[in-house]
């Protein structure tokens, strides 16, 4: 029995994700896997990712994991993190790559022209560090997490969902962007809960307890 | 409110212990790295940086063990640097639990390493550390813990490293490190203005106003300090409250 499968498609370091899950759920079996069968039997699935989206899509396909991820996203508690959020959408500006098309929408880069704060200072890309996350609407994953709590981000691209109603959280840099989405059994975040100290661990622990219903 | 400026305590580690020197010399023992890391995490550190300054290759493996222990207890970003010479060194540190790896001397001797490591693991986990010293009217890059001049202009070098794939730059002023007289603000400002990626200012912090200056005048996105925290002069929380009181957005 696998309680939590962390999808490993060779992109980035998954140790932080699995360590954090083991920390919040010591009695659960957490498996980092590139085996589609593990993903199929797991009770819940975490879909992380780092690096460039075109490479992520290529590596996912090279391991034959595309269908396993699409199936998991259809019917079990599913948590996307960082590129694991971006991959759910149709298309990314990064390398003009097609995503998995599970959610309608696109992934865009922070536009250079917008990267100025209220005092006229230049904002850096990647957007790196702790930013406030505002909750667009209630969700079980937000339990005991304050509206406006800070989480740790590292990214240069952000998602633009076609259906604005799937947004469940956002941040400002400097413009407002969607940083968390939820639809049915899917919850996905642009920031890194595994690196966001107490708030991040709380989010992961809420995910582990979640029945997959909005 | 938006992105917070980061405070990053730095732990110089040799032979399994945290030490701190002045101008890279005269090392003093500051304690056990895992205990110190946990203390800074409790105080609200935004990230932690470990620099392995172990001289002998015999004890190099110790840092992996330390990072593994810290990574299973502390859930904030961890950067590790020191002695990173090849892509496989980067892989080993990431596997031990580092989130970012800092490359210093090897970026100068083998710039391709930065491109290869960024290509393989992503720019988000590649930090290039630039040790610079004022030489005449410009800043020059030094390597080997500040002992070796390279002839490279620090601002031009910073731009080149970002082109090759560095996701962040750790800028240390060699003339300031351990002196407690404050960051070299013009150096930090020049590099911050020249590149699009975040800059961590390092070297010379002696009081909390220095941290404020690093952000407001030096244009730093994050400030790194060691001795003011190691010997209990200030807690990370005190530093953050001071920065907030000076109008800087921080995570509290």
């Amino acid at each position: 029995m696998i309680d939590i499968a962390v999808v490993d498609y060779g992109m980035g370091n998954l140790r932080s994700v699995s360590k954090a899950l083991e920390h919040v759920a010591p009695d659960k079996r957490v498996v980092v896997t590139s085996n589609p069968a593990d993903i199929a039997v797991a009770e819940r699935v975490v879909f992380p990712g780092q690096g460039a989206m075109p490479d992520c899509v290529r590596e996912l396909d090279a391991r034959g994991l595309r269908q396993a991820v699409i199936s998991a996203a259809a019917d079990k508690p599913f948590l996307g993190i960082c590129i694991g959020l971006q991959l759910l959408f149709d298309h990314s500006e990064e390398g003009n790559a097609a995503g998995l098309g599970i959610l309608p929408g696109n992934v865009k880069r922070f536009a250079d022209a917008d990267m100025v704060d209220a005092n006229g200072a230049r904002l850096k890309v990647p957007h790196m560090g702790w930013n406030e996350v505002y909750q667009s609407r209630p969700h079980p994953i937000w339990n005991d997490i304050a509206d406006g709590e800070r989480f740790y981000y590292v990214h240069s691209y952000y998602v633009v969902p076609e259906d604005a109603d799937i947004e469940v959280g956002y941040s400002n840099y400097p413009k407002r962007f969607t940083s968390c989405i939820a639809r049915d059994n899917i919850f996905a975040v642009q920031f890194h809960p595994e690196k966001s100290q107490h708030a991040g661990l709380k989010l992961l622990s809420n995910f582990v307890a979640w029945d997959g219903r909005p | 409110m938006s992105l917070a400026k980061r405070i990053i305590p730095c732990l110089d580690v040799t032979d399994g212990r945290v030490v701190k020197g002045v101008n890279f010399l005269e090392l003093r023992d500051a304690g056990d790295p895992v205990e110190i890391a946990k203390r800074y995490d409790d105080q609200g550190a935004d990230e932690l940086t470990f620099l392995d300054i172990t001289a002998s290759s015999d004890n190099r493996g110790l840092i992996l063990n330390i990072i593994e222990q810290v990574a299973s207890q502390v859930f904030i970003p961890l950067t590790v640097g020191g002695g990173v010479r090849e892509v496989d060194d980067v892989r080993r540190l990431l596997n031990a639990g580092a989130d970012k790896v800092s490359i210093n001397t090897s970026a100068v001797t083998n710039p391709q390493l930065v491109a290869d490591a960024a290509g393989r693991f992503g720019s988000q986990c590649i930090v290039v550390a630039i040790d610079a010293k004022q030489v005449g009217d410009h800043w020059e890059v030094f390597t080997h813990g500040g002992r070796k001049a390279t002839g490279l202009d620090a601002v031009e070098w910073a731009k080149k490293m970002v082109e090759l794939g560095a996701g962040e730059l750790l800028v240390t002023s060699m003339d300031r490190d351990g002196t407690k007289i404050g960051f070299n603000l013009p150096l930090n400002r020049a590099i911050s203005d020249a590149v699009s990626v975040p800059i961590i200012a390092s070297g010379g912090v002696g009081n909390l106003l220095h941290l404020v200056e690093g952000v407001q005048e030096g244009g730093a996105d994050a400030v790194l300090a060691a001795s003011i925290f190691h010997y209990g002069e200030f807690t990370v929380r005190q530093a953050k409250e001071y920065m907030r009181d000076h109008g800087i957005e921080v995570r509290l």
Side-chain angles (χ1 to χ4, degrees):
Chain A
M1 180 61 198
I2 296 173
D3 294 310
I4 306 167
V6 179
V7 184
D8 179 6
Y9 48 102
M11 292 304 292
N13 173 25
L14 306 182
R15 194 185 163 91
S16 296
V17 176
S18 64
K19 281 274 162 206
L21 287 165
E22 284 161 12
H23 186 83
V24 300
D27 54 337
K28 301 281 185 191
R29 181 155 176 245
V30 180
V31 175
V32 176
T33 180
S34 26
N35 181 352
D38 287 344
I39 296 165
V41 301
E43 183 192 72
R44 58 193 70 234
V45 170
V46 177
F47 186 43
Q50 288 177 342
M53 184 148 142
D55 298 338
C56 289
V57 175
R58 191 190 63 231
E59 295 301 316
L60 198 63
D61 283 334
R63 287 166 177 74
L65 287 166
R66 175 186 288 252
Q67 197 49 51
V69 170
I70 291 172
S71 301
D75 65 2
K76 53 182 84 178
F78 184 98
L79 178 65
I81 298 175
C82 194
I83 307 289
L85 160 71
Q86 298 179 7
L87 278 166
L88 301 178
F89 287 83
D90 292 323
H91 180 267
S92 175
E93 280 184 1
E94 186 173 21
N96 193 24
L100 299 180
I102 295 168
L103 300 170
N106 295 297
V107 183
K108 296 192 172 190
R109 192 172 200 279
F110 286 114
D112 288 340
D114 295 337
M115 291 294 107
V116 179
D117 73 10
N119 303 318
R122 177 159 67 139
L123 295 171
K124 300 302 182 75
V125 177
H127 170 226
M128 181 186 289
W130 300 79
N131 203 338
E132 292 175 338
V133 174
Y134 297 98
Q135 298 166 14
S136 317
R137 58 182 161 90
H139 191 283
I141 299 280
W142 291 139
N143 281 351
D144 297 324
I145 295 174
D147 191 21
E149 182 64 76
R150 288 185 190 272
F151 288 84
Y152 187 84
Y153 284 95
V154 189
H155 65 124
S156 300
Y157 293 80
Y158 61 94
V159 300
V160 182
E162 227 164 70
D163 175 7
D165 290 343
I166 68 170
E167 180 187 279
V168 73
Y170 67 93
S171 290
N172 301 307
Y173 194 66
K175 293 183 173 171
R176 175 191 162 130
F177 68 93
T178 298
S179 70
C180 312
I181 62 90
R183 194 187 73 184
D184 305 325
N185 56 303
I186 301 174
F187 195 94
V189 297
Q190 181 61 63
F191 52 77
H192 290 269
E194 76 279 11
K195 285 286 136 186
S196 297
Q197 218 201 12
H198 304 308
L201 295 176
K202 184 67 206 168
L203 188 148
L204 292 175
S205 121
N206 287 343
F207 172 70
V208 172
W210 183 38
D211 62 5
R213 291 190 194 142
Chain B
M1 297 289 273
S2 178
L3 186 66
K5 299 297 180 185
R6 290 169 279 153
I7 292 194
I8 308 177
C10 178
L11 289 69
D12 289 350
V13 179
T14 187
D15 298 326
R17 297 287 292 178
V18 176
V19 294
K20 188 59 203 167
V22 175
N23 292 91
F24 284 66
L25 299 166
E26 299 170 45
L27 300 177
R28 271 169 79 185
D29 187 81
D32 173 65
V34 180
E35 289 307 312
I36 293 178
K38 280 159 66 180
R39 188 198 315 154
Y40 293 153
D41 177 49
D42 287 342
Q43 291 176 5
D46 295 309
E47 301 187 21
L48 295 173
T49 289
F50 298 80
L51 293 179
D52 182 11
I53 57 170
T54 302
S56 75
S57 52
D58 302 355
N59 289 334
R60 281 248 172 242
L62 283 174
I63 194 77
L64 295 175
N65 190 298
I66 291 166
I67 296 307
E68 284 198 11
Q69 289 182 61
V70 174
S72 58
Q73 301 171 65
V74 169
F75 298 96
I76 58 176
L78 307 176
T79 300
V80 187
V84 176
R85 293 188 185 82
E86 46 192 83
V87 170
D88 214 41
D89 294 329
V90 178
R91 186 186 59 77
R92 265 194 294 274
L93 289 167
L94 293 176
N95 282 345
D99 300 287
K100 311 182 203 179
V101 170
S102 167
I103 304 176
N104 189 338
T105 297
S106 294
V108 174
T109 55
N110 175 22
Q112 187 59 32
L113 172 63
V114 174
D116 291 347
R120 170 116 177 248
F121 305 108
S123 287
Q124 83 289 335
C125 67
I126 304 302
V127 181
V128 169
I130 300 177
D131 291 347
K133 206 184 276 192
Q134 181 132 17
V135 176
D137 62 351
H138 73 293
W139 297 282
E140 186 175 332
V141 177
F142 280 69
T143 58
H144 297 85
R147 295 188 300 278
K148 201 165 161 189
T150 64
L152 296 163
D153 177 82
V155 177
E156 292 306 313
W157 181 245
K159 289 196 241 177
K160 181 176 178 189
M161 289 298 99
V162 173
E163 278 165 27
L164 286 180
E168 197 174 24
L169 299 176
L170 169 58
V171 179
T172 303
S173 162
M174 300 296 307
D175 342 56
R176 301 297 179 98
D177 195 60
T179 61
K180 296 181 160 274
I181 58 172
F183 295 119
N184 185 325
L185 300 171
L187 166 69
N188 278 294
R189 172 55 74 181
I191 292 181
S192 185
D193 286 349
V195 299
S196 61
V197 303
I199 300 295
I200 307 164
S202 155
V205 174
N207 61 46
L208 301 183
L209 184 60
H210 292 152
L211 301 176
V212 170
E213 290 170 348
V215 171
Q216 291 180 336
E217 294 170 45
D221 302 283
V223 287
L224 181 138
S227 22
I228 61 163
F229 300 131
H230 292 344
Y231 302 112
E233 277 172 79
F234 302 102
T235 64
V236 176
R237 171 163 286 275
Q238 283 173 319
K240 287 185 155 186
E241 286 168 352
Y242 187 89
M243 290 170 79
R244 177 199 60 197
D245 293 345
H246 284 73
I248 295 174
E249 188 166 349
V250 291
R251 176 178 75 108
L252 272 170

